[in-house]
Amino acid sequence: ITWMSLAEAQEREFSPMNLVVVVPEPGEASPRRPQLHLGLPEAALAHQAGLITKAEVRAVVLAKLKLLPGQVLWDVGAGCGSVGLEASLLVPGGKVFAVERHPERSAQIGANRDHYGVDNLEVVCGLAPECLADLPDPHRVFVGGGGPMVGAIVEEAVRRLAPGGRVVVTAALL
């Protein structure tokens, strides 16, 4: 039995018959997936030139959505997926559909989802409201983008909304 640091072990060669057990020292950082939590800083997500819902706005949006376990959320105009990612924590057993029309932003949503190991968020790359037709009816809808189609998106969301559902819209530009 030999005890050594990882740095020492890296410099050695071992027989294929050896058994190596790696035990981190107390206080030593172990490599693991970053922990998803509410209020992620902007730097924690891949995003395009500041196109991200700020943490303070995300907090208000999530509070207004009043998400519950098992619900379906549409995050329309998802950008980098910051709202949908944090919302995924609040709907265990449910599903978040992050809808984004720009392929590069859709790819960022997927990268952010994979980075945090989120399994209840699906990326939908398409133009709303048309691409919403194939999604299951929502309990909650967040519209954070959509440009000139915001009115049509909200109309479709309200039409498909489950009884007692909620729609939350943020508008940086009118």
Side-chain angles (χ1 to χ4, degrees):
I1 297 175
T2 305
W3 291 86
M4 64 188 74
S5 70
L6 289 175
E8 292 170 317
Q10 184 176 352
E11 300 299 320
R12 305 239 339 235
E13 289 189 30
F14 298 93
S15 162
M17 298 300 292
N18 283 121
L19 172 66
V20 178
V21 178
V22 179
V23 180
E25 292 292 325
E28 193 176 295
S30 60
R32 61 179 161 182
R33 185 181 305 279
Q35 187 67 42
L36 179 63
H37 59 84
L38 299 177
L40 286 171
E42 292 177 41
L45 296 165
H47 57 90
Q48 183 182 11
L51 293 176
I52 182 172
T53 303
K54 308 303 183 233
E56 296 80 4
V57 175
R58 270 183 266 142
V60 172
V61 165
L62 293 171
K64 296 295 183 184
L65 283 169
K66 296 185 179 180
L67 295 163
L68 298 170
Q71 290 184 326
V72 171
L73 167 68
W74 292 352
D75 176 3
V76 184
C80 72
S82 61
V83 170
L85 283 166
E86 291 187 16
S88 73
L89 292 168
L90 304 172
V91 293
K95 189 79 169 185
V96 176
F97 293 90
V99 178
E100 177 55 53
R101 67 182 170 154
H102 298 285
E104 64 279 2
R105 292 184 200 154
S106 293
Q108 286 175 336
I109 298 168
N112 287 326
R113 175 199 58 207
D114 296 345
H115 180 73
Y116 286 103
V118 173
D119 61 2
N120 63 341
L121 184 146
E122 182 175 322
V123 181
V124 178
C125 185
L127 184 62
E130 293 81 10
C131 71
L132 304 174
D134 294 331
L135 301 183
D137 290 344
H139 298 94
R140 303 290 190 262
V141 177
F142 169 58
V143 182
M149 298 305 293
V150 168
I153 292 167
V154 170
E155 284 178 15
E156 179 66 6
V158 169
R159 186 181 74 73
R160 301 265 310 275
L161 201 60
R166 297 180 75 102
V167 176
V168 175
V169 180
T170 58
L173 301 171
L174 295 176

